[in-house]
């Protein structure tokens, strides 16, 4: 099953997004990661890398990120990791929910889950 990692500058925000997405995720492994390691705001590549390993069960991981430097640090973490992972260019909350639903499909692939996460860019709120 494709896993998910939510990267936020705030660990609390990442946990909240995971909590919401998990309502739709069935057995999908969704892991939060964020903060600077000292309780502050930021992201740390080493923390992201270890979270990728936790989320992966062999089918890869789709990563959702909140802001610019989270993208950069997630890219570094993916390069350091042995896990097959891709970053979705998606709004983090809506993308996480879409990805969680997509990952429950028995036919889910890294590509199909990423595509569904990215489809969240087109969701109208009003």
């Amino acid at each position: 099953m494709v896993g998910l990692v939510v990267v936020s500058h705030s660990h609390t925000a990442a946990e909240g997004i995971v909590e919401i997405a998990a309502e739709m995720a069935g057995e999908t492994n969704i892991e939060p990661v964020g903060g600077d390691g000292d309780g502050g705001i930021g992201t740390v590549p080493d923390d992201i890398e270890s979270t990728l390993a936790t989320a992966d069960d062999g089918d890869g991981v789709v990563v959702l990120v909140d802001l610019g430097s989270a993208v950069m640090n997630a890219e570094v973490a993916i390069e350091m990791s042995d896990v097959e992972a891709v970053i979705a260019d998606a709004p983090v909350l809506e993308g996480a929910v879409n990805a969680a639903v997509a990952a429950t499909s028995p036919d889910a692939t890294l590509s199909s889950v990423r595509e569904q996460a990215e489809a969240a860019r087109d969701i109208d709120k009003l």
Side-chain angles (χ1 to χ4, degrees), residues 22-34:
E23 289 293 315
M24 307 299 284
E27 308 253 337
T28 302
N29 191 5
I30 308 176
E31 298 292 331
V33 61

Side-chain angles (χ1 to χ4, degrees), residues 45-80:
D46 289 337
D47 294 345
I48 299 168
E49 180 189 14
S50 65
T51 305
L52 290 171
T54 301
D56 184 38
D57 72 357
D59 291 329
V61 176
V62 173
V63 180
L64 294 113
V65 297
D66 64 358
L67 300 169
S69 64
V71 174
M72 179 184 66
N73 286 333
E75 290 173 338
V76 169
I78 290 168
E79 288 177 20
M80 296 184 323

Side-chain angles (χ1 to χ4, degrees), residues 2 5 10 12 18 20 29-30 42 46 56-57 61 68 75 78 84 99 107 114 117 119 122 124:
V2 175
V5 169
S10 163
T12 303
V18 166
I20 293 167
N29 191 5
I30 308 176
D46 289 337
D56 184 38
D57 72 357
V61 176
E75 290 173 338
I78 290 168
E84 184 178 2
D107 299 325
R114 179 185 189 177
D122 298 325
D124 290 329

Side-chain angles (χ1 to χ4, degrees), residues 95-118:
V97 171
N98 274 15
V101 171
T104 64
S105 169
D107 299 325
T109 64
L110 207 53
S111 179
S112 68
V113 173
R114 179 185 189 177
E115 286 174 16
Q116 286 305 305
E118 291 177 346

